[in-house]
Amino acid sequence: MRLQIFDNHETLSRATADILLRTVRENPRSSIIIATGSTPTLAYQLWVQDLLRQDIPTDELMIIKLDEWGGLPMDHPSTCETYIQKHIIQPLSLRPDQVISFTSVAADPAAECDRVYRAISALPSIDCCVLGIGKNGHLGFNEPNTTWSTVPHVAKLSITSLGHAMLQGDSRDVQYGLTLGLDTISIAKSILALASGSEKTAIVEQALRGPVTPQCPASILQTLPQSIVYLDTKAAERITS
Ligand code: GLP
């Protein structure tokens, strides 16, 4: 695991966008796992802006959605789908076959996870994975105290996740989570885990300096040599002091 601390969210986002840009430039057929939430949004905006301005081809790029709220209609404003459509898919005009994405309204969510598993298994590689370290230490919807070793699966959501700002206080229709598992995340050639702001200070300390344990899924980053953790000074406060 490599760790880098940035002065603020803007510089962290710029550096994240630069890695994503380099990934696509070096391999236009890259497959990239995309987290949602507030942490990577600016990075995605900068990345997409640069891809378009520099006219970098994206017609062979594959985007893999990290997770989804099960039970919300796909076009609900709070879904991870709406987020990736708005920030990545639509601005880059990606085709549906360039996106591997859990549906949020599957009749059989476990079968939907198998479908996503098979689609990912058919890819030549996963080149990069962007993660946001969750307030409770989750990565995607790999929640605390669940099994380490997993492929795409249906997750029981924690109270903390159900309180996520994406749901805007309304989690009534969310019945479960759908998420790539830690095994799938771990096969990415490069893993970029982000945290910014003081609400992440305590969990970042636990994840990066505490024991490696399923009680804090983000602690798995300590064991992954290809992981790069980008923090702003607020999130890194207890690590630096
Ligand atoms: C939710 C999202 C994830 C995201 C995580 C952290 O679980 N579904 O994709 O990585 O929250 O979000 P934030 O960056 O807003 O803290």
Side-chain angles (χ1 to χ4, degrees), residues 4 6 10-20 46 192 230:
Q4 199 169 336
F6 295 87
E10 285 68 32
T11 47
L12 176 154
S13 303
R14 182 64 263 168
T16 305
D18 288 344
I19 290 196
L20 291 170
L46 296 169
L192 200 46
Y230 278 0

Side-chain angles (χ1 to χ4, degrees), residues 34-40 66-69 80 131-135 138-141 161 164-166 194 199-200:
I34 293 292
T36 59
S38 62
T39 314
L66 172 66
D67 55 2
E68 188 55 275
W69 307 103
C80 303
L131 299 171
I133 299 177
K135 237 195 240 179
H138 73 200
L139 292 178
F141 287 134
S161 294
H164 193 281
M166 279 180 93
L194 314 175
E199 65 166 15
K200 300 287 172 67

Side-chain angles (χ1 to χ4, degrees), residues 1-6 19 22 133 189-194 208-209 220-231 239:
M1 179 185 82
R2 280 193 290 136
L3 174 65
Q4 199 169 336
I5 298 166
F6 295 87
I19 290 196
R22 200 167 56 233
I133 299 177
K189 287 185 189 163
S190 155
I191 298 172
L192 200 46
L194 314 175
L208 306 188
R209 297 289 184 253
I220 199 174
L221 294 166
Q222 295 181 42
T223 70
L224 300 173
Q226 79 279 36
S227 68
I228 307 170
V229 180
Y230 278 0
L231 306 174
I239 287 193

Side-chain angles (χ1 to χ4, degrees), residues 84-213:
I84 64 162
Q85 287 291 339
K86 174 175 171 197
H87 295 292
I88 297 172
I89 315 287
Q90 285 169 9
L92 292 178
S93 306
L94 302 184
R95 303 177 309 273
D97 64 291
Q98 290 181 270
V99 186
I100 297 176
S101 172
F102 295 106
T103 176
S104 55
V105 287
D108 180 346
E112 174 63 359
C113 292
D114 287 345
R115 183 190 68 79
V116 167
Y117 176 65
R118 284 194 304 276
I120 291 176
S121 304
L123 297 172
S125 59
I126 299 179
D127 300 278
C128 187
C129 170
V130 181
L131 299 171
I133 299 177
K135 237 195 240 179
N136 62 354
H138 73 200
L139 292 178
F141 287 134
N142 293 281
E143 296 280 34
N145 298 311
T146 55
T147 171
W148 274 119
S149 181
T150 52
V151 293
H153 62 282
V154 179
K156 183 175 175 345
L157 294 172
S158 64
I159 302 286
T160 312
S161 294
L162 288 167
H164 193 281
M166 279 180 93
L167 295 175
Q168 298 164 20
D170 182 10
S171 60
R172 272 173 310 176
D173 297 328
V174 179
Q175 294 151 11
Y176 52 87
L178 294 154
T179 187
L180 301 184
L182 295 175
D183 282 356
T184 312
I185 288 169
S186 304
I187 58 175
K189 287 185 189 163
S190 155
I191 298 172
L192 200 46
L194 314 175
S196 58
S198 37
E199 65 166 15
K200 300 287 172 67
T201 311
I203 198 67
V204 160
E205 181 187 32
Q206 210 181 309
L208 306 188
R209 297 289 184 253
V212 176
T213 161

